[in-house]
Protein backbone atom coordinates (compact mmCIF):
# COMPACT_ATOMS: atom_id res chain seq x y z
CA UNK A 1 0.00 0.00 0.00
CA UNK A 2 1.24 3.46 -0.80
CA UNK A 3 1.50 6.33 1.67
CA UNK A 4 -1.55 8.06 0.13
CA UNK A 5 -3.91 5.23 1.14
CA UNK A 6 -3.19 5.41 4.90
CA UNK A 7 -5.89 6.73 7.21
CA UNK A 8 -4.72 10.02 8.74
CA UNK A 9 -4.38 9.88 12.51
CA UNK A 10 -4.77 13.22 14.25
CA UNK A 11 -2.04 13.66 16.83
CA UNK A 12 -4.18 15.51 19.38
CA UNK A 13 -4.77 13.91 22.75
CA UNK A 14 -8.36 12.79 23.38
CA UNK A 15 -8.03 13.79 27.04
CA UNK A 16 -8.97 17.19 28.45
CA UNK A 17 -8.68 18.43 32.02
CA UNK A 18 -11.74 20.11 33.52
CA UNK A 19 -11.74 22.64 36.38
CA UNK A 20 -11.88 19.94 39.11
CA UNK A 21 -8.70 18.34 37.79
CA UNK A 22 -10.53 15.31 36.43
CA UNK A 23 -9.69 14.20 32.95
CA UNK A 24 -12.60 13.90 30.59
CA UNK A 25 -13.00 12.42 27.14
CA UNK A 26 -15.08 13.59 24.21
CA UNK A 27 -16.61 10.75 22.20
CA UNK A 28 -18.21 10.69 18.77
CA UNK A 29 -20.19 7.45 18.55
CA UNK A 30 -21.76 7.14 15.12
CA UNK A 31 -22.29 10.91 14.95
CA UNK A 32 -23.72 11.23 18.47
CA UNK A 33 -21.49 13.26 20.77
CA UNK A 34 -20.80 12.30 24.40
CA UNK A 35 -18.50 13.48 27.15
CA UNK A 36 -17.47 11.57 30.24
CA UNK A 37 -14.59 11.29 32.65
CA UNK A 38 -11.65 9.05 31.97
CA UNK A 39 -12.36 7.41 35.34
CA UNK A 40 -15.78 6.23 34.10
CA UNK A 41 -14.19 4.55 31.08
CA UNK A 42 -11.11 3.07 32.77
CA UNK A 43 -11.43 2.81 36.54
CA UNK A 44 -15.10 2.05 37.13
CA UNK A 45 -15.65 -1.43 38.53
CA UNK A 46 -18.24 -1.87 35.76
CA UNK A 47 -15.73 -1.04 33.01
CA UNK A 48 -13.24 -3.78 33.94
CA UNK A 49 -12.36 -5.84 30.87
CA UNK A 50 -14.52 -3.71 28.57
CA UNK A 51 -13.57 -2.49 25.13
CA UNK A 52 -13.75 1.11 26.41
CA UNK A 53 -11.31 0.37 29.23
CA UNK A 54 -8.91 -1.13 26.69
CA UNK A 55 -9.29 1.84 24.37
CA UNK A 56 -8.54 4.44 27.05
CA UNK A 57 -5.89 2.56 29.00
CA UNK A 58 -3.68 2.47 25.91
CA UNK A 59 -4.22 -1.17 24.94
CA UNK A 60 -6.09 -0.25 21.75
CA UNK A 61 -5.25 2.76 19.57
CA UNK A 62 -7.96 5.38 19.16
CA UNK A 63 -8.66 7.80 16.34
CA UNK A 64 -9.63 11.40 17.04
CA UNK A 65 -11.06 14.07 14.80
CA UNK A 66 -9.90 17.70 14.47
CA UNK A 67 -12.00 18.73 17.50
CA UNK A 68 -10.53 16.06 19.76
CA UNK A 69 -13.48 13.66 19.73
CA UNK A 70 -12.56 10.00 19.86
CA UNK A 71 -14.26 8.27 16.94
CA UNK A 72 -16.13 5.04 17.64
CA UNK A 73 -17.71 3.47 14.58
CA UNK A 74 -20.93 2.26 16.23
CA UNK A 75 -24.53 3.45 16.36
CA UNK A 76 -24.83 5.94 19.22
CA UNK A 77 -28.48 5.11 19.99
CA UNK A 78 -27.72 3.07 23.13
CA UNK A 79 -24.35 4.54 24.06
CA UNK A 80 -25.87 6.86 26.68
CA UNK A 81 -27.27 3.79 28.44
CA UNK A 82 -23.85 2.13 28.22
CA UNK A 83 -22.20 5.18 29.82
CA UNK A 84 -24.79 5.29 32.58
CA UNK A 85 -24.13 1.62 33.28
CA UNK A 86 -20.40 2.34 33.57
CA UNK A 87 -21.15 5.20 35.96
CA UNK A 88 -23.54 3.52 38.37
CA UNK A 89 -23.90 -0.14 37.43
CA UNK A 90 -27.56 0.04 36.46
CA UNK A 91 -29.10 -0.15 33.04
CA UNK A 92 -32.68 0.09 31.86
CA UNK A 93 -33.38 -2.99 29.78
CA UNK A 94 -35.68 -2.01 26.90
CA UNK A 95 -39.12 -3.57 26.69
CA UNK A 96 -39.16 -3.16 22.92
CA UNK A 97 -37.75 -6.33 21.34
CA UNK A 98 -35.81 -4.46 18.62
CA UNK A 99 -34.16 -2.13 21.16
CA UNK A 100 -33.37 -5.11 23.39
CA UNK A 101 -31.52 -6.90 20.58
CA UNK A 102 -29.72 -3.67 19.63
CA UNK A 103 -28.58 -3.14 23.24
CA UNK A 104 -27.43 -6.77 23.39
CA UNK A 105 -25.27 -6.26 20.29
CA UNK A 106 -23.76 -3.07 21.72
CA UNK A 107 -23.05 -4.76 25.07
CA UNK A 108 -21.36 -7.62 23.23
CA UNK A 109 -19.25 -5.19 21.17
CA UNK A 110 -18.15 -3.22 24.25
CA UNK A 111 -17.49 -6.51 26.13
CA UNK A 112 -19.87 -5.65 28.96
CA UNK A 113 -20.59 -9.14 30.29
CA UNK A 114 -23.14 -8.09 32.92
CA UNK A 115 -25.26 -6.09 30.45
CA UNK A 116 -24.97 -8.91 27.90
CA UNK A 117 -26.15 -11.40 30.52
CA UNK A 118 -29.07 -9.19 31.60
CA UNK A 119 -30.24 -8.76 28.00
CA UNK A 120 -29.83 -12.46 27.25
CA UNK A 121 -31.77 -13.38 30.40
CA UNK A 122 -34.71 -11.22 29.28
CA UNK A 123 -34.58 -12.72 25.77
CA UNK A 124 -34.46 -16.27 27.17
CA UNK A 125 -37.30 -15.58 29.62
CA UNK A 126 -39.48 -14.10 26.86
CA UNK A 127 -38.71 -17.05 24.59
CA UNK A 128 -39.66 -19.47 27.35
CA UNK A 129 -42.89 -17.61 28.10
CA UNK A 130 -43.67 -17.46 24.40
CA UNK A 131 -43.02 -21.20 24.07
CA UNK A 132 -45.22 -21.94 27.09
CA UNK A 133 -47.95 -19.66 25.76
CA UNK A 134 -47.74 -21.35 22.36
CA UNK A 135 -48.07 -24.80 23.90
CA UNK A 136 -50.98 -23.79 26.07
CA UNK A 137 -52.87 -21.80 23.47
CA UNK A 138 -52.34 -23.91 20.38
CA UNK A 139 -52.87 -27.37 21.80
CA UNK A 140 -56.00 -26.97 23.83
CA UNK A 141 -58.84 -29.14 22.73
CA UNK A 142 -61.96 -30.60 24.23
CA UNK A 143 -62.51 -34.30 24.61
CA UNK A 144 -66.11 -35.35 24.92
CA UNK A 145 -66.48 -38.28 27.26
CA UNK A 146 -69.26 -40.64 26.31
CA UNK A 147 -70.43 -42.82 29.15
CA UNK A 148 -73.04 -44.82 27.29
CA UNK A 149 -72.11 -47.74 25.09
CA UNK A 150 -72.00 -46.50 21.50
CA UNK A 151 -72.36 -48.63 18.39
CA UNK A 152 -69.26 -48.98 16.23
CA UNK A 153 -70.97 -47.25 13.26
CA UNK A 154 -71.34 -44.09 15.40
CA UNK A 155 -67.54 -43.76 15.54
CA UNK A 156 -67.20 -44.41 11.83
CA UNK A 157 -69.63 -41.58 11.05
CA UNK A 158 -67.52 -38.91 12.82
CA UNK A 159 -65.30 -36.89 10.45
CA UNK A 160 -62.81 -35.73 13.11
CA UNK A 161 -60.10 -38.01 14.51
CA UNK A 162 -61.45 -40.22 17.27
CA UNK A 163 -59.67 -42.00 20.08
CA UNK A 164 -61.65 -44.70 21.76
CA UNK A 165 -60.65 -45.69 25.26
CA UNK A 166 -61.83 -48.84 26.91
CA UNK A 167 -62.55 -47.60 30.40
CA UNK A 168 -64.33 -49.11 33.29
CA UNK A 169 -63.79 -49.15 37.02
CA UNK A 170 -62.32 -52.62 36.97
CA UNK A 171 -59.33 -51.64 34.79
CA UNK A 172 -58.65 -48.37 36.62
CA UNK A 173 -56.08 -49.18 39.28
CA UNK A 174 -56.39 -45.67 40.71
CA UNK A 175 -60.10 -45.97 41.41
CA UNK A 176 -60.93 -45.72 45.13
CA UNK A 177 -64.43 -47.08 44.84
CA UNK A 178 -65.35 -50.70 45.17
Amino acid sequence: MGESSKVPVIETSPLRVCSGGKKYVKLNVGGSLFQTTLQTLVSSRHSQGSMLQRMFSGTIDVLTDEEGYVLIDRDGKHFGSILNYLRDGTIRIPTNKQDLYELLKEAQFYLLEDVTRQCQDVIDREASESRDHFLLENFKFKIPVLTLPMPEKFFLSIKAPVVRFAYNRSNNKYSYTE
Side-chain angles (χ1 to χ4, degrees), residues 88-142:
D88 60 25
T90 60
I91 191 159
R92 185 189 66 77
I93 301 296
T95 55
N96 174 292
K97 194 175 267 189
Q98 179 68 32
D99 288 342
L100 176 61
Y101 280 97
E102 290 172 0
L103 180 60
L104 173 63
K105 289 298 176 197
E106 293 306 300
Q108 290 170 334
F109 174 80
Y110 291 113
L111 303 175
L112 298 170
E113 292 177 14
D114 188 46
V115 177
T116 300
R117 182 188 48 73
Q118 288 182 52
C119 290
Q120 194 62 56
D121 286 350
V122 170
I123 290 168
D124 292 346
R125 186 173 56 248
E126 287 179 356
S128 176
E129 289 170 0
S130 175
R131 213 174 13 255
D132 292 345
H133 179 72
F134 175 79
L135 290 174
L136 292 174
E137 289 300 314
N138 292 326
F139 295 104
K140 286 184 179 176
F141 50 90
K142 295 180 181 179

Coordinates of all heavy atoms in Angstrom, one line a residue, residues 88-142:
D88 N -22.9 3.9 37.1 CA -23.5 3.5 38.4 C -23.9 2.0 38.4 O -24.5 1.6 39.4 CB -24.8 4.4 38.7 CG -25.8 4.3 37.6 OD1 -25.9 3.3 36.8 OD2 -26.6 5.3 37.4
G89 N -23.6 1.3 37.4 CA -23.9 -0.1 37.4 C -25.3 -0.5 37.2 O -25.7 -1.7 37.3
T90 N -26.2 0.4 36.8 CA -27.6 0.0 36.5 C -27.8 0.4 35.0 O -27.2 1.3 34.4 CB -28.6 0.8 37.3 OG1 -28.4 2.2 37.1 CG2 -28.4 0.5 38.8
I91 N -28.7 -0.4 34.4 CA -29.1 -0.2 33.0 C -30.6 -0.5 32.9 O -31.1 -1.4 33.5 CB -28.2 -1.0 32.1 CG1 -28.5 -0.5 30.6 CG2 -28.5 -2.5 32.2 CD1 -27.3 -0.8 29.7
R92 N -31.3 0.3 32.1 CA -32.7 0.1 31.9 C -32.7 -0.8 30.7 O -32.3 -0.5 29.6 CB -33.4 1.4 31.6 CG -34.9 1.2 31.4 CD -35.6 2.5 30.9 NE -35.2 2.8 29.5 CZ -35.6 2.2 28.4 NH1 -36.4 1.2 28.5 NH2 -35.2 2.6 27.2
I93 N -33.3 -2.0 30.9 CA -33.4 -3.0 29.8 C -34.6 -2.6 29.0 O -35.7 -2.5 29.6 CB -33.5 -4.4 30.3 CG1 -32.2 -4.8 31.2 CG2 -33.7 -5.4 29.2 CD1 -30.9 -4.8 30.4
P94 N -34.5 -2.4 27.7 CA -35.7 -2.0 26.9 C -36.8 -3.1 26.9 O -36.5 -4.3 26.9 CB -35.1 -1.8 25.5 CG -33.6 -1.7 25.7 CD -33.3 -2.5 26.9
T95 N -38.0 -2.6 26.8 CA -39.1 -3.6 26.7 C -39.4 -3.9 25.2 O -40.0 -4.9 24.9 CB -40.4 -3.0 27.4 OG1 -40.7 -1.7 26.8 CG2 -40.2 -2.9 28.9
N96 N -39.0 -3.0 24.3 CA -39.2 -3.2 22.9 C -38.1 -4.2 22.4 O -36.9 -4.1 22.7 CB -38.9 -1.8 22.2 CG -39.0 -1.9 20.7 OD1 -38.1 -2.5 20.1 ND2 -40.0 -1.3 20.1
K97 N -38.6 -5.2 21.8 CA -37.7 -6.3 21.3 C -36.6 -5.9 20.4 O -35.5 -6.3 20.6 CB -38.6 -7.4 20.6 CG -37.9 -8.7 20.4 CD -38.8 -9.8 19.8 CE -39.4 -10.5 20.9 NZ -40.1 -11.7 20.5
Q98 N -36.9 -5.0 19.5 CA -35.8 -4.5 18.6 C -34.7 -3.7 19.4 O -33.5 -4.0 19.2 CB -36.4 -3.5 17.6 CG -35.4 -2.9 16.6 CD -34.8 -3.9 15.7 OE1 -35.4 -4.9 15.3 NE2 -33.6 -3.7 15.3
D99 N -35.1 -2.9 20.3 CA -34.2 -2.1 21.2 C -33.4 -3.1 22.1 O -32.2 -2.9 22.3 CB -34.9 -1.1 22.0 CG -35.3 0.1 21.2 OD1 -34.9 0.3 20.1 OD2 -36.2 0.9 21.7
L100 N -34.0 -4.1 22.5 CA -33.4 -5.1 23.4 C -32.3 -5.8 22.6 O -31.1 -6.0 23.1 CB -34.4 -6.1 23.9 CG -33.8 -7.3 24.7 CD1 -33.2 -6.8 26.0 CD2 -35.0 -8.3 25.1
Y101 N -32.5 -6.2 21.4 CA -31.5 -6.9 20.6 C -30.4 -5.9 20.2 O -29.2 -6.3 20.1 CB -32.2 -7.5 19.3 CG -32.8 -8.9 19.6 CD1 -34.2 -8.9 19.9 CD2 -32.0 -10.0 19.7 CE1 -34.8 -10.2 20.1 CE2 -32.6 -11.3 20.0 CZ -34.0 -11.3 20.2 OH -34.6 -12.5 20.5
E102 N -30.7 -4.7 19.9 CA -29.7 -3.7 19.6 C -28.8 -3.5 20.8 O -27.6 -3.4 20.7 CB -30.4 -2.3 19.2 CG -31.0 -2.4 17.9 CD -31.8 -1.1 17.6 OE1 -31.9 -0.2 18.5 OE2 -32.5 -1.1 16.5
L103 N -29.4 -3.3 22.0 CA -28.6 -3.1 23.2 C -27.7 -4.4 23.5 O -26.5 -4.2 23.9 CB -29.5 -2.9 24.4 CG -28.7 -2.7 25.8 CD1 -27.8 -1.5 25.7 CD2 -29.7 -2.5 26.9
L104 N -28.2 -5.5 23.2 CA -27.4 -6.8 23.4 C -26.2 -6.7 22.5 O -25.1 -7.0 22.9 CB -28.3 -8.0 23.1 CG -27.5 -9.3 23.0 CD1 -26.9 -9.7 24.4 CD2 -28.5 -10.4 22.5
K105 N -26.4 -6.3 21.2 CA -25.3 -6.3 20.3 C -24.2 -5.2 20.7 O -23.0 -5.5 20.6 CB -25.8 -5.9 18.9 CG -26.5 -7.1 18.2 CD -25.6 -8.3 18.1 CE -26.4 -9.4 17.5 NZ -25.7 -10.7 17.7
E106 N -24.7 -4.1 21.2 CA -23.8 -3.1 21.7 C -23.0 -3.6 22.9 O -21.8 -3.4 23.1 CB -24.5 -1.8 22.0 CG -25.1 -1.1 20.8 CD -24.0 -0.8 19.7 OE1 -23.1 -0.1 20.0 OE2 -24.2 -1.4 18.6
A107 N -23.7 -4.2 23.9 CA -23.0 -4.8 25.1 C -22.0 -5.8 24.7 O -20.9 -5.9 25.3 CB -24.1 -5.3 26.0
Q108 N -22.3 -6.6 23.7 CA -21.4 -7.6 23.2 C -20.1 -6.9 22.6 O -19.0 -7.3 22.9 CB -22.0 -8.6 22.2 CG -23.0 -9.5 22.9 CD -23.8 -10.3 21.9 OE1 -24.0 -9.9 20.7 NE2 -24.4 -11.4 22.3
F109 N -20.4 -5.9 21.8 CA -19.3 -5.2 21.2 C -18.3 -4.6 22.2 O -17.1 -4.6 22.1 CB -19.8 -4.1 20.2 CG -18.6 -3.3 19.7 CD1 -17.9 -3.7 18.6 CD2 -18.4 -2.0 20.2 CE1 -16.8 -3.0 18.1 CE2 -17.3 -1.2 19.7 CZ -16.5 -1.7 18.7
Y110 N -18.9 -3.9 23.2 CA -18.1 -3.2 24.2 C -17.7 -4.2 25.3 O -17.0 -3.7 26.3 CB -19.0 -2.1 24.9 CG -19.2 -0.9 23.9 CD1 -20.4 -0.6 23.4 CD2 -18.1 -0.2 23.4 CE1 -20.6 0.4 22.5 CE2 -18.3 0.9 22.5 CZ -19.6 1.2 22.1 OH -19.8 2.2 21.2
L111 N -17.9 -5.5 25.2 CA -17.5 -6.5 26.1 C -18.0 -6.3 27.6 O -17.2 -6.4 28.5 CB -15.9 -6.6 26.1 CG -15.3 -6.9 24.8 CD1 -13.8 -6.9 24.8 CD2 -15.8 -8.2 24.2
L112 N -19.2 -5.9 27.7 CA -19.9 -5.7 29.0 C -20.7 -6.9 29.3 O -21.8 -7.1 29.0 CB -20.8 -4.4 28.9 CG -20.0 -3.1 28.6 CD1 -21.0 -2.0 28.4 CD2 -19.1 -2.8 29.7
E113 N -20.0 -7.8 30.0 CA -20.6 -9.1 30.3 C -21.9 -9.1 31.1 O -22.8 -9.8 30.8 CB -19.6 -10.0 31.0 CG -18.4 -10.4 30.1 CD -17.3 -11.2 30.9 OE1 -17.6 -11.7 31.9 OE2 -16.2 -11.3 30.3
D114 N -21.9 -8.2 32.1 CA -23.1 -8.1 32.9 C -24.3 -7.6 32.1 O -25.4 -8.2 32.2 CB -22.9 -7.2 34.1 CG -24.0 -7.2 35.1 OD1 -24.5 -8.3 35.4 OD2 -24.5 -6.1 35.6
V115 N -24.2 -6.6 31.3 CA -25.3 -6.1 30.5 C -25.7 -7.2 29.4 O -26.9 -7.4 29.2 CB -24.9 -4.8 29.8 CG1 -26.0 -4.3 28.8 CG2 -24.5 -3.7 30.8
T116 N -24.7 -7.8 28.8 CA -25.0 -8.9 27.9 C -25.8 -10.0 28.6 O -26.8 -10.4 28.0 CB -23.7 -9.5 27.4 OG1 -22.9 -8.5 26.7 CG2 -23.9 -10.7 26.4
R117 N -25.4 -10.4 29.8 CA -26.1 -11.4 30.5 C -27.6 -11.0 30.8 O -28.5 -11.7 30.7 CB -25.4 -11.8 31.8 CG -26.1 -12.9 32.6 CD -25.5 -13.1 34.0 NE -25.3 -11.9 34.7 CZ -26.2 -11.2 35.3 NH1 -27.5 -11.6 35.3 NH2 -26.0 -10.1 36.0
Q118 N -27.7 -9.7 31.3 CA -29.1 -9.2 31.6 C -30.0 -9.2 30.4 O -31.1 -9.6 30.4 CB -29.0 -7.8 32.2 CG -28.4 -7.7 33.6 CD -28.4 -6.3 34.1 OE1 -29.4 -5.6 34.1 NE2 -27.3 -5.8 34.6
C119 N -29.4 -8.8 29.2 CA -30.2 -8.8 28.0 C -30.6 -10.2 27.6 O -31.7 -10.5 27.2 CB -29.5 -8.1 26.9 SG -29.3 -6.3 27.1
Q120 N -29.6 -11.1 27.6 CA -29.8 -12.5 27.2 C -30.8 -13.1 28.2 O -31.7 -13.9 27.7 CB -28.5 -13.2 27.2 CG -28.6 -14.6 26.5 CD -29.0 -14.4 25.0 OE1 -28.3 -13.7 24.3 NE2 -30.1 -15.0 24.6
D121 N -30.8 -12.8 29.5 CA -31.8 -13.4 30.4 C -33.2 -13.0 30.0 O -34.1 -13.8 30.1 CB -31.5 -12.9 31.8 CG -30.3 -13.6 32.4 OD1 -29.8 -14.6 31.8 OD2 -29.8 -13.2 33.5
V122 N -33.4 -11.7 29.7 CA -34.7 -11.2 29.3 C -35.2 -11.9 28.0 O -36.3 -12.4 27.9 CB -34.7 -9.7 29.1 CG1 -36.0 -9.2 28.5 CG2 -34.5 -9.0 30.4
I123 N -34.3 -12.0 27.0 CA -34.6 -12.7 25.8 C -35.0 -14.2 26.0 O -36.0 -14.7 25.5 CB -33.4 -12.6 24.8 CG1 -33.2 -11.2 24.3 CG2 -33.6 -13.6 23.6 CD1 -32.0 -10.9 23.6
D124 N -34.2 -14.9 26.9 CA -34.5 -16.3 27.2 C -35.8 -16.4 27.9 O -36.6 -17.3 27.6 CB -33.3 -16.9 28.0 CG -32.0 -17.0 27.2 OD1 -32.0 -16.9 26.0 OD2 -31.0 -17.2 27.9
R125 N -36.0 -15.5 28.9 CA -37.3 -15.6 29.6 C -38.5 -15.4 28.7 O -39.5 -16.1 28.8 CB -37.3 -14.6 30.8 CG -38.5 -14.7 31.7 CD -38.4 -13.8 32.9 NE -38.2 -12.4 32.6 CZ -37.1 -11.7 32.9 NH1 -36.1 -12.3 33.5 NH2 -37.0 -10.4 32.6
E126 N -38.4 -14.4 27.8 CA -39.5 -14.1 26.9 C -39.7 -15.3 25.9 O -40.8 -15.6 25.6 CB -39.2 -12.8 26.1 CG -39.4 -11.6 26.9 CD -39.1 -10.3 26.1 OE1 -38.7 -10.4 25.0 OE2 -39.3 -9.2 26.7
A127 N -38.6 -15.9 25.5 CA -38.7 -17.1 24.6 C -39.4 -18.2 25.3 O -40.3 -18.9 24.7 CB -37.3 -17.5 24.1
S128 N -39.0 -18.4 26.6 CA -39.7 -19.5 27.3 C -41.1 -19.2 27.6 O -42.0 -20.1 27.4 CB -39.0 -19.6 28.7 OG -39.6 -20.5 29.5
E129 N -41.5 -18.0 27.9 CA -42.9 -17.6 28.1 C -43.7 -17.7 26.8 O -44.8 -18.2 26.8 CB -43.0 -16.2 28.6 CG -42.6 -16.1 30.1 CD -42.4 -14.6 30.6 OE1 -42.7 -13.7 29.8 OE2 -42.1 -14.4 31.7
S130 N -43.0 -17.4 25.7 CA -43.7 -17.5 24.4 C -43.9 -18.9 24.1 O -44.9 -19.3 23.5 CB -42.8 -16.8 23.3 OG -43.3 -17.0 22.1
R131 N -42.9 -19.8 24.3 CA -43.0 -21.2 24.1 C -44.1 -21.8 24.9 O -45.0 -22.6 24.4 CB -41.7 -21.9 24.4 CG -41.3 -23.0 23.5 CD -39.9 -23.6 23.8 NE -39.2 -23.2 24.9 CZ -38.2 -22.3 24.9 NH1 -37.8 -21.8 23.8 NH2 -37.6 -22.0 26.0
D132 N -44.2 -21.4 26.2 CA -45.2 -21.9 27.1 C -46.6 -21.5 26.6 O -47.5 -22.2 26.6 CB -45.0 -21.5 28.5 CG -43.8 -22.1 29.2 OD1 -43.3 -23.1 28.6 OD2 -43.3 -21.6 30.2
H133 N -46.7 -20.2 26.2 CA -47.9 -19.7 25.8 C -48.4 -20.4 24.5 O -49.5 -20.8 24.3 CB -47.8 -18.2 25.5 CG -49.1 -17.5 25.0 ND1 -50.1 -17.3 25.8 CD2 -49.4 -17.1 23.7 CE1 -51.1 -16.7 25.1 NE2 -50.7 -16.6 23.8
F134 N -47.4 -20.6 23.6 CA -47.7 -21.4 22.4 C -48.3 -22.7 22.7 O -49.3 -23.2 22.1 CB -46.5 -21.5 21.5 CG -46.7 -22.3 20.2 CD1 -47.3 -21.7 19.1 CD2 -46.2 -23.6 20.2 CE1 -47.5 -22.5 18.0 CE2 -46.4 -24.3 19.0 CZ -47.0 -23.8 17.9
L135 N -47.6 -23.4 23.6 CA -48.1 -24.8 23.9 C -49.5 -24.8 24.5 O -50.3 -25.6 24.2 CB -47.1 -25.5 24.9 CG -45.7 -25.8 24.2 CD1 -44.8 -26.3 25.3 CD2 -45.9 -26.9 23.1
L136 N -49.7 -23.8 25.4 CA -51.0 -23.8 26.1 C -52.1 -23.3 25.1 O -53.2 -23.9 25.2 CB -50.9 -22.9 27.3 CG -50.0 -23.3 28.4 CD1 -50.0 -22.3 29.5 CD2 -50.6 -24.6 29.0
E137 N -51.8 -22.4 24.3 CA -52.9 -21.8 23.5 C -53.2 -22.6 22.2 O -54.3 -22.8 21.8 CB -52.5 -20.4 23.0 CG -52.6 -19.4 24.1 CD -53.9 -19.3 24.7 OE1 -54.9 -19.2 24.0 OE2 -54.0 -19.3 26.0
N138 N -52.1 -23.2 21.6 CA -52.3 -23.9 20.4 C -52.7 -25.4 20.5 O -53.1 -26.0 19.5 CB -51.1 -23.8 19.5 CG -50.9 -22.3 19.1 OD1 -51.9 -21.7 18.8 ND2 -49.7 -21.9 18.9
F139 N -52.6 -26.0 21.7 CA -52.9 -27.4 21.8 C -54.0 -27.7 22.8 O -54.0 -28.7 23.4 CB -51.6 -28.1 22.2 CG -50.6 -28.1 21.1 CD1 -49.5 -27.2 21.2 CD2 -50.7 -28.8 19.9 CE1 -48.6 -27.1 20.1 CE2 -49.8 -28.7 18.9 CZ -48.7 -27.9 19.0
K140 N -54.8 -26.7 23.0 CA -56.0 -27.0 23.8 C -57.1 -27.6 23.0 O -57.3 -27.1 21.9 CB -56.5 -25.7 24.5 CG -55.7 -25.2 25.6 CD -56.3 -24.0 26.2 CE -55.4 -23.5 27.3 NZ -56.0 -22.2 27.9
F141 N -57.7 -28.6 23.4 CA -58.8 -29.1 22.7 C -59.8 -29.8 23.7 O -59.3 -30.1 24.9 CB -58.4 -30.1 21.6 CG -57.4 -31.2 22.1 CD1 -57.9 -32.4 22.6 CD2 -56.1 -30.9 22.0 CE1 -57.0 -33.3 23.0 CE2 -55.2 -31.9 22.4 CZ -55.6 -33.1 22.9
K142 N -61.0 -30.0 23.3 CA -62.0 -30.6 24.2 C -62.1 -32.1 23.8 O -62.2 -32.4 22.7 CB -63.3 -29.9 24.2 CG -63.2 -28.4 24.7 CD -64.5 -27.8 24.6 CE -64.4 -26.3 25.1 NZ -65.7 -25.6 25.0

